């Protein structure tokens, strides 16, 4: 099974910009992996921020954006707010039957 | 509005089975795959598999093959996830989530496996 890698932790200053990345042990991440990004706060169910690389839901704050960057999926937060402090998980699809694999998650601190 | 409502907390002994339900409302149940995800205490998210509610076809993560069974009852718009031969490391919150954007998640079901 493929391994999906994320930074274990990142820190960003309020108002600052940070990019979280998501790599794959099988090679470059492409749009064909349909990258997803989820946000999870303590005691809550995950919430989907980004799907299919860069698509947002109606509840996704405009300061979040998804892209492909240097062979990885990326989630960029521009203008961090204290409420953005959370765990972020990326999620990739593999093969025609579309088994999915989560990354280990990035703990984002806004400080 | 779309809602996924899961069954309540379960406490099971090692070796037993557990069946978690996920009742869907607010959309056409057979129109979207349903995924199951779990999260052990203090750990990350783990994808378990999906079911196509229309056909009943399933696709399980390799780790769970042979132990997990996903089914559905279209008459009551409910998906089920049954995990057998439970071990202590199956203690986790289990979530259902609707495919295509994963816009909706269930509230989670805590399953505790303890002797």
């Amino acid at each position: 099974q493929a391994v999906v890698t994320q930074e274990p932790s990142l820190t960003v200053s309020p108002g600052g910009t940070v990019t979280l990345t998501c790599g794959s042990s099988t090679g470059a991440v492409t749009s064909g992996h349909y990258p997803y990004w989820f946000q999870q706060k303590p005691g809550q169910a995950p919430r989907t921020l980004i799907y299919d690389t860069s698509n947002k839901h109606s509840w996704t704050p405009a300061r979040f954006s998804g892209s492909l960057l240097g062979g990885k999926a990326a989630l960029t937060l521009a203008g961090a707010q204290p409420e953005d402090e959370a765990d972020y998980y990326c999620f990739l699809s593999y093969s025609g039957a579309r088994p999915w694999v989560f990354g280990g998650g990035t703990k984002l601190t806004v400080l | 509005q779309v809602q996924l409502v899961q069954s309540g907390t379960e406490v099971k002994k090692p070796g037993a089975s557990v069946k978690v339900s996920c009742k869907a409302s607010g959309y056409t149940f057979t129109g979207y795959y349903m995924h199951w995800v779990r999260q052990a205490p203090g750990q990350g998210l783990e994808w378990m598999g999906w079911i196509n509610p229309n056909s009943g076809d399933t696709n399980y993560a390799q780790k769970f093959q042979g132990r997990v069974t996903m089914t559905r009852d279209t008459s009551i718009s409910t998906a089920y996830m049954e995990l057998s031969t439970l071990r202590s490391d199956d203690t986790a919150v289990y979530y259902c989530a609707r495919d295509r954007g994963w816009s909706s998640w269930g509230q989670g079901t805590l399953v505790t496996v303890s002797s």
Side-chain angles (χ1 to χ4, degrees):
Chain A
Q1 175 174 293
V3 175
V4 177
T5 55
Q6 298 182 245
E7 298 86 0
S9 63
L10 290 170
T11 299
V12 61
S13 300
T17 296
V18 64
T19 297
L20 289 65
T21 68
C22 174
S24 172
S25 63
T26 62
V29 176
T30 70
S31 58
H33 289 97
Y34 304 97
Y36 277 64
W37 290 93
F38 302 97
Q39 178 192 64
Q40 188 179 35
K41 297 181 179 179
Q44 297 183 14
R47 181 174 76 148
T48 309
L49 292 179
I50 301 288
Y51 63 98
D52 293 353
T53 305
S54 58
N55 293 297
K56 300 181 184 183
H57 285 295
S58 59
W59 54 80
T60 305
R63 58 185 180 275
F64 288 96
S65 62
S67 65
L68 296 175
L69 202 62
K72 296 183 177 183
L75 176 70
T76 298
L77 170 58
Q81 302 296 311
E83 61 265 30
D84 298 328
E85 190 162 291
D87 294 326
Y88 292 83
Y89 295 91
C90 76
F91 190 45
L92 302 179
S93 168
Y94 291 87
S95 93
R98 300 188 71 176
W100 294 84
V101 181
F102 279 100
T106 295
K107 185 175 184 60
L108 181 66
T109 301
V110 180
L111 191 60
Chain B
Q1 74 284 17
V2 174
Q3 270 197 305
L4 300 176
V5 179
Q6 298 184 222
S7 48
T9 298
E10 301 267 10
V11 179
K12 296 292 183 181
K13 294 200 180 306
S17 297
V18 68
K19 191 170 185 177
V20 179
S21 68
C22 171
K23 183 169 177 58
S25 61
Y27 72 98
T28 302
F29 177 64
T30 52
Y32 299 79
Y33 287 23
M34 191 73 79
H35 294 260
W36 289 89
V37 172
R38 77 176 188 180
Q39 186 170 37
Q43 302 300 308
L45 301 172
E46 184 172 31
W47 180 77
M48 299 181 70
W50 54 249
I51 181 168
N52 178 345
N54 187 44
S55 64
D57 289 345
T58 55
N59 184 16
Y60 303 142
Q62 193 170 11
K63 173 178 179 176
F64 299 102
Q65 283 180 5
R67 267 204 322 140
V68 71
T69 305
M70 295 177 188
T71 57
R72 89 292 190 213
D73 183 338
T74 57
S75 69
I76 55 172
S77 299
T78 299
Y80 301 93
M81 186 286 301
E82 184 170 20
L83 190 61
S84 63
T85 321
L86 290 169
R87 308 183 289 254
S88 57
D89 62 0
D90 291 316
T91 294
V93 176
Y94 291 76
Y95 295 100
C96 58
R98 195 189 77 166
D99 194 19
R100 272 196 255 162
W102 287 59
S103 55
S104 297
W105 289 68
Q107 82 276 19
T109 297
L110 175 62
V111 176
T112 300
V113 183
S114 174
S115 54

mmCIF file with all atom_site columns, all heavy atoms in Angstrom, chain B residues 86-107:
data_model
loop_
_atom_site.group_PDB
_atom_site.id
_atom_site.type_symbol
_atom_site.label_atom_id
_atom_site.label_alt_id
_atom_site.label_comp_id
_atom_site.label_asym_id
_atom_site.label_entity_id
_atom_site.label_seq_id
_atom_site.pdbx_PDB_ins_code
_atom_site.Cartn_x
_atom_site.Cartn_y
_atom_site.Cartn_z
_atom_site.occupancy
_atom_site.B_iso_or_equiv
_atom_site.pdbx_formal_charge
_atom_site.auth_seq_id
_atom_site.auth_comp_id
_atom_site.auth_asym_id
_atom_site.auth_atom_id
_atom_site.pdbx_PDB_model_num
ATOM 1   N N   . LEU B 1 86  ? -12.808 -8.603 16.788 1.00 0.00 ? 86  LEU B N   1
ATOM 2   C CA  . LEU B 1 86  ? -12.297 -7.344 17.322 1.00 0.00 ? 86  LEU B CA  1
ATOM 3   C C   . LEU B 1 86  ? -11.110 -7.549 18.257 1.00 0.00 ? 86  LEU B C   1
ATOM 4   O O   . LEU B 1 86  ? -11.039 -8.524 19.019 1.00 0.00 ? 86  LEU B O   1
ATOM 5   C CB  . LEU B 1 86  ? -13.414 -6.606 18.074 1.00 0.00 ? 86  LEU B CB  1
ATOM 6   C CG  . LEU B 1 86  ? -14.527 -6.032 17.191 1.00 0.00 ? 86  LEU B CG  1
ATOM 7   C CD1 . LEU B 1 86  ? -15.698 -5.574 18.045 1.00 0.00 ? 86  LEU B CD1 1
ATOM 8   C CD2 . LEU B 1 86  ? -14.004 -4.887 16.337 1.00 0.00 ? 86  LEU B CD2 1
ATOM 9   N N   . ARG B 1 87  ? -10.187 -6.596 18.176 1.00 0.00 ? 87  ARG B N   1
ATOM 10  C CA  . ARG B 1 87  ? -9.003  -6.555 19.033 1.00 0.00 ? 87  ARG B CA  1
ATOM 11  C C   . ARG B 1 87  ? -8.997  -5.222 19.765 1.00 0.00 ? 87  ARG B C   1
ATOM 12  O O   . ARG B 1 87  ? -9.690  -4.275 19.383 1.00 0.00 ? 87  ARG B O   1
ATOM 13  C CB  . ARG B 1 87  ? -7.727  -6.697 18.196 1.00 0.00 ? 87  ARG B CB  1
ATOM 14  C CG  . ARG B 1 87  ? -7.719  -7.888 17.264 1.00 0.00 ? 87  ARG B CG  1
ATOM 15  C CD  . ARG B 1 87  ? -6.391  -7.976 16.551 1.00 0.00 ? 87  ARG B CD  1
ATOM 16  N NE  . ARG B 1 87  ? -6.207  -6.923 15.563 1.00 0.00 ? 87  ARG B NE  1
ATOM 17  C CZ  . ARG B 1 87  ? -6.273  -7.111 14.255 1.00 0.00 ? 87  ARG B CZ  1
ATOM 18  N NH1 . ARG B 1 87  ? -6.580  -8.312 13.784 1.00 0.00 ? 87  ARG B NH1 1
ATOM 19  N NH2 . ARG B 1 87  ? -6.057  -6.127 13.422 1.00 0.00 ? 87  ARG B NH2 1
ATOM 20  N N   . SER B 1 88  ? -8.148  -5.118 20.742 1.00 0.00 ? 88  SER B N   1
ATOM 21  C CA  . SER B 1 88  ? -8.097  -3.867 21.508 1.00 0.00 ? 88  SER B CA  1
ATOM 22  C C   . SER B 1 88  ? -7.693  -2.689 20.612 1.00 0.00 ? 88  SER B C   1
ATOM 23  O O   . SER B 1 88  ? -8.147  -1.556 20.835 1.00 0.00 ? 88  SER B O   1
ATOM 24  C CB  . SER B 1 88  ? -7.118  -3.995 22.675 1.00 0.00 ? 88  SER B CB  1
ATOM 25  O OG  . SER B 1 88  ? -5.837  -4.347 22.212 1.00 0.00 ? 88  SER B OG  1
ATOM 26  N N   . ASP B 1 89  ? -6.884  -2.959 19.606 1.00 0.00 ? 89  ASP B N   1
ATOM 27  C CA  . ASP B 1 89  ? -6.465  -1.839 18.735 1.00 0.00 ? 89  ASP B CA  1
ATOM 28  C C   . ASP B 1 89  ? -7.524  -1.457 17.707 1.00 0.00 ? 89  ASP B C   1
ATOM 29  O O   . ASP B 1 89  ? -7.277  -0.595 16.861 1.00 0.00 ? 89  ASP B O   1
ATOM 30  C CB  . ASP B 1 89  ? -5.118  -2.114 18.067 1.00 0.00 ? 89  ASP B CB  1
ATOM 31  C CG  . ASP B 1 89  ? -5.127  -3.328 17.162 1.00 0.00 ? 89  ASP B CG  1
ATOM 32  O OD1 . ASP B 1 89  ? -6.187  -3.982 17.047 1.00 0.00 ? 89  ASP B OD1 1
ATOM 33  O OD2 . ASP B 1 89  ? -4.075  -3.627 16.557 1.00 0.00 ? 89  ASP B OD2 1
ATOM 34  N N   . ASP B 1 90  ? -8.693  -2.062 17.767 1.00 0.00 ? 90  ASP B N   1
ATOM 35  C CA  . ASP B 1 90  ? -9.840  -1.615 16.972 1.00 0.00 ? 90  ASP B CA  1
ATOM 36  C C   . ASP B 1 90  ? -10.631 -0.549 17.717 1.00 0.00 ? 90  ASP B C   1
ATOM 37  O O   . ASP B 1 90  ? -11.597 -0.004 17.178 1.00 0.00 ? 90  ASP B O   1
ATOM 38  C CB  . ASP B 1 90  ? -10.764 -2.782 16.625 1.00 0.00 ? 90  ASP B CB  1
ATOM 39  C CG  . ASP B 1 90  ? -10.126 -3.759 15.641 1.00 0.00 ? 90  ASP B CG  1
ATOM 40  O OD1 . ASP B 1 90  ? -9.506  -3.292 14.666 1.00 0.00 ? 90  ASP B OD1 1
ATOM 41  O OD2 . ASP B 1 90  ? -10.261 -4.984 15.859 1.00 0.00 ? 90  ASP B OD2 1
ATOM 42  N N   . THR B 1 91  ? -10.249 -0.263 18.943 1.00 0.00 ? 91  THR B N   1
ATOM 43  C CA  . THR B 1 91  ? -10.881 0.820  19.683 1.00 0.00 ? 91  THR B CA  1
ATOM 44  C C   . THR B 1 91  ? -10.663 2.125  18.934 1.00 0.00 ? 91  THR B C   1
ATOM 45  O O   . THR B 1 91  ? -9.519  2.535  18.693 1.00 0.00 ? 91  THR B O   1
ATOM 46  C CB  . THR B 1 91  ? -10.301 0.921  21.109 1.00 0.00 ? 91  THR B CB  1
ATOM 47  O OG1 . THR B 1 91  ? -10.662 -0.255 21.840 1.00 0.00 ? 91  THR B OG1 1
ATOM 48  C CG2 . THR B 1 91  ? -10.829 2.150  21.831 1.00 0.00 ? 91  THR B CG2 1
ATOM 49  N N   . ALA B 1 92  ? -11.755 2.763  18.563 1.00 0.00 ? 92  ALA B N   1
ATOM 50  C CA  . ALA B 1 92  ? -11.663 3.934  17.697 1.00 0.00 ? 92  ALA B CA  1
ATOM 51  C C   . ALA B 1 92  ? -13.039 4.573  17.541 1.00 0.00 ? 92  ALA B C   1
ATOM 52  O O   . ALA B 1 92  ? -14.063 3.980  17.905 1.00 0.00 ? 92  ALA B O   1
ATOM 53  C CB  . ALA B 1 92  ? -11.136 3.539  16.310 1.00 0.00 ? 92  ALA B CB  1
ATOM 54  N N   . VAL B 1 93  ? -13.034 5.771  16.987 1.00 0.00 ? 93  VAL B N   1
ATOM 55  C CA  . VAL B 1 93  ? -14.274 6.383  16.509 1.00 0.00 ? 93  VAL B CA  1
ATOM 56  C C   . VAL B 1 93  ? -14.397 6.043  15.033 1.00 0.00 ? 93  VAL B C   1
ATOM 57  O O   . VAL B 1 93  ? -13.439 6.237  14.266 1.00 0.00 ? 93  VAL B O   1
ATOM 58  C CB  . VAL B 1 93  ? -14.264 7.906  16.710 1.00 0.00 ? 93  VAL B CB  1
ATOM 59  C CG1 . VAL B 1 93  ? -15.534 8.520  16.110 1.00 0.00 ? 93  VAL B CG1 1
ATOM 60  C CG2 . VAL B 1 93  ? -14.158 8.247  18.190 1.00 0.00 ? 93  VAL B CG2 1
ATOM 61  N N   . TYR B 1 94  ? -15.549 5.531  14.665 1.00 0.00 ? 94  TYR B N   1
ATOM 62  C CA  . TYR B 1 94  ? -15.822 5.127  13.292 1.00 0.00 ? 94  TYR B CA  1
ATOM 63  C C   . TYR B 1 94  ? -16.776 6.140  12.667 1.00 0.00 ? 94  TYR B C   1
ATOM 64  O O   . TYR B 1 94  ? -17.797 6.480  13.255 1.00 0.00 ? 94  TYR B O   1
ATOM 65  C CB  . TYR B 1 94  ? -16.416 3.721  13.262 1.00 0.00 ? 94  TYR B CB  1
ATOM 66  C CG  . TYR B 1 94  ? -15.401 2.666  13.651 1.00 0.00 ? 94  TYR B CG  1
ATOM 67  C CD1 . TYR B 1 94  ? -15.031 2.479  14.975 1.00 0.00 ? 94  TYR B CD1 1
ATOM 68  C CD2 . TYR B 1 94  ? -14.785 1.882  12.676 1.00 0.00 ? 94  TYR B CD2 1
ATOM 69  C CE1 . TYR B 1 94  ? -14.077 1.533  15.331 1.00 0.00 ? 94  TYR B CE1 1
ATOM 70  C CE2 . TYR B 1 94  ? -13.841 0.931  13.018 1.00 0.00 ? 94  TYR B CE2 1
ATOM 71  C CZ  . TYR B 1 94  ? -13.483 0.772  14.348 1.00 0.00 ? 94  TYR B CZ  1
ATOM 72  O OH  . TYR B 1 94  ? -12.528 -0.160 14.691 1.00 0.00 ? 94  TYR B OH  1
ATOM 73  N N   . TYR B 1 95  ? -16.412 6.616  11.470 1.00 0.00 ? 95  TYR B N   1
ATOM 74  C CA  . TYR B 1 95  ? -17.210 7.612  10.753 1.00 0.00 ? 95  TYR B CA  1
ATOM 75  C C   . TYR B 1 95  ? -17.674 7.062  9.416  1.00 0.00 ? 95  TYR B C   1
ATOM 76  O O   . TYR B 1 95  ? -16.927 6.349  8.742  1.00 0.00 ? 95  TYR B O   1
ATOM 77  C CB  . TYR B 1 95  ? -16.375 8.859  10.446 1.00 0.00 ? 95  TYR B CB  1
ATOM 78  C CG  . TYR B 1 95  ? -15.889 9.658  11.610 1.00 0.00 ? 95  TYR B CG  1
ATOM 79  C CD1 . TYR B 1 95  ? -14.580 9.522  12.059 1.00 0.00 ? 95  TYR B CD1 1
ATOM 80  C CD2 . TYR B 1 95  ? -16.718 10.596 12.238 1.00 0.00 ? 95  TYR B CD2 1
ATOM 81  C CE1 . TYR B 1 95  ? -14.101 10.300 13.117 1.00 0.00 ? 95  TYR B CE1 1
ATOM 82  C CE2 . TYR B 1 95  ? -16.252 11.362 13.296 1.00 0.00 ? 95  TYR B CE2 1
ATOM 83  C CZ  . TYR B 1 95  ? -14.942 11.204 13.724 1.00 0.00 ? 95  TYR B CZ  1
ATOM 84  O OH  . TYR B 1 95  ? -14.479 11.967 14.768 1.00 0.00 ? 95  TYR B OH  1
ATOM 85  N N   . CYS B 1 96  ? -18.872 7.466  9.008  1.00 0.00 ? 96  CYS B N   1
ATOM 86  C CA  . CYS B 1 96  ? -19.272 7.304  7.620  1.00 0.00 ? 96  CYS B CA  1
ATOM 87  C C   . CYS B 1 96  ? -19.181 8.684  6.972  1.00 0.00 ? 96  CYS B C   1
ATOM 88  O O   . CYS B 1 96  ? -19.288 9.719  7.641  1.00 0.00 ? 96  CYS B O   1
ATOM 89  C CB  . CYS B 1 96  ? -20.683 6.721  7.492  1.00 0.00 ? 96  CYS B CB  1
ATOM 90  S SG  . CYS B 1 96  ? -22.002 7.680  8.283  1.00 0.00 ? 96  CYS B SG  1
ATOM 91  N N   . ALA B 1 97  ? -18.975 8.689  5.676  1.00 0.00 ? 97  ALA B N   1
ATOM 92  C CA  . ALA B 1 97  ? -18.868 9.954  4.941  1.00 0.00 ? 97  ALA B CA  1
ATOM 93  C C   . ALA B 1 97  ? -19.332 9.723  3.508  1.00 0.00 ? 97  ALA B C   1
ATOM 94  O O   . ALA B 1 97  ? -18.995 8.693  2.896  1.00 0.00 ? 97  ALA B O   1
ATOM 95  C CB  . ALA B 1 97  ? -17.435 10.477 4.959  1.00 0.00 ? 97  ALA B CB  1
ATOM 96  N N   . ARG B 1 98  ? -20.061 10.692 2.991  1.00 0.00 ? 98  ARG B N   1
ATOM 97  C CA  . ARG B 1 98  ? -20.614 10.559 1.650  1.00 0.00 ? 98  ARG B CA  1
ATOM 98  C C   . ARG B 1 98  ? -19.606 10.980 0.591  1.00 0.00 ? 98  ARG B C   1
ATOM 99  O O   . ARG B 1 98  ? -18.929 12.002 0.737  1.00 0.00 ? 98  ARG B O   1
ATOM 100 C CB  . ARG B 1 98  ? -21.871 11.430 1.532  1.00 0.00 ? 98  ARG B CB  1
ATOM 101 C CG  . ARG B 1 98  ? -22.715 11.110 0.328  1.00 0.00 ? 98  ARG B CG  1
ATOM 102 C CD  . ARG B 1 98  ? -23.806 12.134 0.142  1.00 0.00 ? 98  ARG B CD  1
ATOM 103 N NE  . ARG B 1 98  ? -23.300 13.381 -0.426 1.00 0.00 ? 98  ARG B NE  1
ATOM 104 C CZ  . ARG B 1 98  ? -24.072 14.330 -0.936 1.00 0.00 ? 98  ARG B CZ  1
ATOM 105 N NH1 . ARG B 1 98  ? -25.393 14.176 -0.925 1.00 0.00 ? 98  ARG B NH1 1
ATOM 106 N NH2 . ARG B 1 98  ? -23.556 15.432 -1.425 1.00 0.00 ? 98  ARG B NH2 1
ATOM 107 N N   . ASP B 1 99  ? -19.506 10.194 -0.461 1.00 0.00 ? 99  ASP B N   1
ATOM 108 C CA  . ASP B 1 99  ? -18.549 10.443 -1.518 1.00 0.00 ? 99  ASP B CA  1
ATOM 109 C C   . ASP B 1 99  ? -18.930 11.660 -2.358 1.00 0.00 ? 99  ASP B C   1
ATOM 110 O O   . ASP B 1 99  ? -19.983 12.269 -2.141 1.00 0.00 ? 99  ASP B O   1
ATOM 111 C CB  . ASP B 1 99  ? -18.469 9.208  -2.434 1.00 0.00 ? 99  ASP B CB  1
ATOM 112 C CG  . ASP B 1 99  ? -17.268 9.256  -3.355 1.00 0.00 ? 99  ASP B CG  1
ATOM 113 O OD1 . ASP B 1 99  ? -16.318 10.021 -3.075 1.00 0.00 ? 99  ASP B OD1 1
ATOM 114 O OD2 . ASP B 1 99  ? -17.273 8.529  -4.359 1.00 0.00 ? 99  ASP B OD2 1
ATOM 115 N N   . ARG B 1 100 ? -18.039 11.993 -3.270 1.00 0.00 ? 100 ARG B N   1
ATOM 116 C CA  . ARG B 1 100 ? -18.156 13.145 -4.164 1.00 0.00 ? 100 ARG B CA  1
ATOM 117 C C   . ARG B 1 100 ? -18.084 14.424 -3.366 1.00 0.00 ? 100 ARG B C   1
ATOM 118 O O   . ARG B 1 100 ? -19.095 15.063 -3.063 1.00 0.00 ? 100 ARG B O   1
ATOM 119 C CB  . ARG B 1 100 ? -19.421 13.107 -5.006 1.00 0.00 ? 100 ARG B CB  1
ATOM 120 C CG  . ARG B 1 100 ? -19.227 12.357 -6.306 1.00 0.00 ? 100 ARG B CG  1
ATOM 121 C CD  . ARG B 1 100 ? -20.322 12.643 -7.276 1.00 0.00 ? 100 ARG B CD  1
ATOM 122 N NE  . ARG B 1 100 ? -21.245 11.534 -7.365 1.00 0.00 ? 100 ARG B NE  1
ATOM 123 C CZ  . ARG B 1 100 ? -22.467 11.627 -7.867 1.00 0.00 ? 100 ARG B CZ  1
ATOM 124 N NH1 . ARG B 1 100 ? -22.931 12.787 -8.287 1.00 0.00 ? 100 ARG B NH1 1
ATOM 125 N NH2 . ARG B 1 100 ? -23.239 10.567 -7.929 1.00 0.00 ? 100 ARG B NH2 1
ATOM 126 N N   . GLY B 1 101 ? -16.846 14.755 -3.048 1.00 0.00 ? 101 GLY B N   1
ATOM 127 C CA  . GLY B 1 101 ? -16.625 15.956 -2.275 1.00 0.00 ? 101 GLY B CA  1
ATOM 128 C C   . GLY B 1 101 ? -16.589 15.731 -0.786 1.00 0.00 ? 101 GLY B C   1
ATOM 129 O O   . GLY B 1 101 ? -16.152 16.609 -0.037 1.00 0.00 ? 101 GLY B O   1
ATOM 130 N N   . TRP B 1 102 ? -16.997 14.556 -0.358 1.00 0.00 ? 102 TRP B N   1
ATOM 131 C CA  . TRP B 1 102 ? -17.012 14.244 1.075  1.00 0.00 ? 102 TRP B CA  1
ATOM 132 C C   . TRP B 1 102 ? -17.622 15.423 1.848  1.00 0.00 ? 102 TRP B C   1
ATOM 133 O O   . TRP B 1 102 ? -17.077 15.859 2.868  1.00 0.00 ? 102 TRP B O   1
ATOM 134 C CB  . TRP B 1 102 ? -15.593 13.949 1.579  1.00 0.00 ? 102 TRP B CB  1
ATOM 135 C CG  . TRP B 1 102 ? -15.077 12.626 1.133  1.00 0.00 ? 102 TRP B CG  1
ATOM 136 C CD1 . TRP B 1 102 ? -14.919 12.205 -0.168 1.00 0.00 ? 102 TRP B CD1 1
ATOM 137 C CD2 . TRP B 1 102 ? -14.633 11.543 1.949  1.00 0.00 ? 102 TRP B CD2 1
ATOM 138 N NE1 . TRP B 1 102 ? -14.412 10.932 -0.202 1.00 0.00 ? 102 TRP B NE1 1
ATOM 139 C CE2 . TRP B 1 102 ? -14.234 10.497 1.079  1.00 0.00 ? 102 TRP B CE2 1
ATOM 140 C CE3 . TRP B 1 102 ? -14.539 11.362 3.326  1.00 0.00 ? 102 TRP B CE3 1
ATOM 141 C CZ2 . TRP B 1 102 ? -13.743 9.280  1.558  1.00 0.00 ? 102 TRP B CZ2 1
ATOM 142 C CZ3 . TRP B 1 102 ? -14.032 10.150 3.797  1.00 0.00 ? 102 TRP B CZ3 1
ATOM 143 C CH2 . TRP B 1 102 ? -13.650 9.129  2.918  1.00 0.00 ? 102 TRP B CH2 1
ATOM 144 N N   . SER B 1 103 ? -18.727 15.903 1.372  1.00 0.00 ? 103 SER B N   1
ATOM 145 C CA  . SER B 1 103 ? -19.329 17.086 1.967  1.00 0.00 ? 103 SER B CA  1
ATOM 146 C C   . SER B 1 103 ? -20.058 16.782 3.266  1.00 0.00 ? 103 SER B C   1
ATOM 147 O O   . SER B 1 103 ? -20.346 17.700 4.033  1.00 0.00 ? 103 SER B O   1
ATOM 148 C CB  . SER B 1 103 ? -20.299 17.741 0.978  1.00 0.00 ? 103 SER B CB  1
ATOM 149 O OG  . SER B 1 103 ? -21.254 16.787 0.543  1.00 0.00 ? 103 SER B OG  1
ATOM 150 N N   . SER B 1 104 ? -20.357 15.522 3.506  1.00 0.00 ? 104 SER B N   1
ATOM 151 C CA  . SER B 1 104 ? -21.099 15.185 4.712  1.00 0.00 ? 104 SER B CA  1
ATOM 152 C C   . SER B 1 104 ? -20.464 14.014 5.431  1.00 0.00 ? 104 SER B C   1
ATOM 153 O O   . SER B 1 104 ? -20.131 13.011 4.800  1.00 0.00 ? 104 SER B O   1
ATOM 154 C CB  . SER B 1 104 ? -22.548 14.832 4.359  1.00 0.00 ? 104 SER B CB  1
ATOM 155 O OG  . SER B 1 104 ? -23.194 15.943 3.795  1.00 0.00 ? 104 SER B OG  1
ATOM 156 N N   . TRP B 1 105 ? -20.341 14.170 6.728  1.00 0.00 ? 105 TRP B N   1
ATOM 157 C CA  . TRP B 1 105 ? -19.793 13.134 7.604  1.00 0.00 ? 105 TRP B CA  1
ATOM 158 C C   . TRP B 1 105 ? -20.824 12.798 8.678  1.00 0.00 ? 105 TRP B C   1
ATOM 159 O O   . TRP B 1 105 ? -21.570 13.684 9.123  1.00 0.00 ? 105 TRP B O   1
ATOM 160 C CB  . TRP B 1 105 ? -18.532 13.628 8.307  1.00 0.00 ? 105 TRP B CB  1
ATOM 161 C CG  . TRP B 1 105 ? -17.331 13.795 7.453  1.00 0.00 ? 105 TRP B CG  1
ATOM 162 C CD1 . TRP B 1 105 ? -17.132 14.717 6.469  1.00 0.00 ? 105 TRP B CD1 1
ATOM 163 C CD2 . TRP B 1 105 ? -16.115 13.034 7.535  1.00 0.00 ? 105 TRP B CD2 1
ATOM 164 N NE1 . TRP B 1 105 ? -15.884 14.571 5.931  1.00 0.00 ? 105 TRP B NE1 1
ATOM 165 C CE2 . TRP B 1 105 ? -15.228 13.549 6.571  1.00 0.00 ? 105 TRP B CE2 1
ATOM 166 C CE3 . TRP B 1 105 ? -15.695 11.970 8.340  1.00 0.00 ? 105 TRP B CE3 1
ATOM 167 C CZ2 . TRP B 1 105 ? -13.947 13.034 6.363  1.00 0.00 ? 105 TRP B CZ2 1
ATOM 168 C CZ3 . TRP B 1 105 ? -14.416 11.463 8.148  1.00 0.00 ? 105 TRP B CZ3 1
ATOM 169 C CH2 . TRP B 1 105 ? -13.555 11.978 7.174  1.00 0.00 ? 105 TRP B CH2 1
ATOM 170 N N   . GLY B 1 106 ? -20.828 11.550 9.119  1.00 0.00 ? 106 GLY B N   1
ATOM 171 C CA  . GLY B 1 106 ? -21.582 11.214 10.306 1.00 0.00 ? 106 GLY B CA  1
ATOM 172 C C   . GLY B 1 106 ? -20.905 11.801 11.540 1.00 0.00 ? 106 GLY B C   1
ATOM 173 O O   . GLY B 1 106 ? -19.774 12.298 11.472 1.00 0.00 ? 106 GLY B O   1
ATOM 174 N N   . GLN B 1 107 ? -21.589 11.708 12.651 1.00 0.00 ? 107 GLN B N   1
ATOM 175 C CA  . GLN B 1 107 ? -21.068 12.307 13.885 1.00 0.00 ? 107 GLN B CA  1
ATOM 176 C C   . GLN B 1 107 ? -20.023 11.423 14.559 1.00 0.00 ? 107 GLN B C   1
ATOM 177 O O   . GLN B 1 107 ? -19.341 11.869 15.490 1.00 0.00 ? 107 GLN B O   1
ATOM 178 C CB  . GLN B 1 107 ? -22.214 12.601 14.878 1.00 0.00 ? 107 GLN B CB  1
ATOM 179 C CG  . GLN B 1 107 ? -22.678 11.411 15.711 1.00 0.00 ? 107 GLN B CG  1
ATOM 180 C CD  . GLN B 1 107 ? -23.692 10.522 15.010 1.00 0.00 ? 107 GLN B CD  1
ATOM 181 O OE1 . GLN B 1 107 ? -23.829 10.556 13.781 1.00 0.00 ? 107 GLN B OE1 1
ATOM 182 N NE2 . GLN B 1 107 ? -24.399 9.722  15.811 1.00 0.00 ? 107 GLN B NE2 1
#
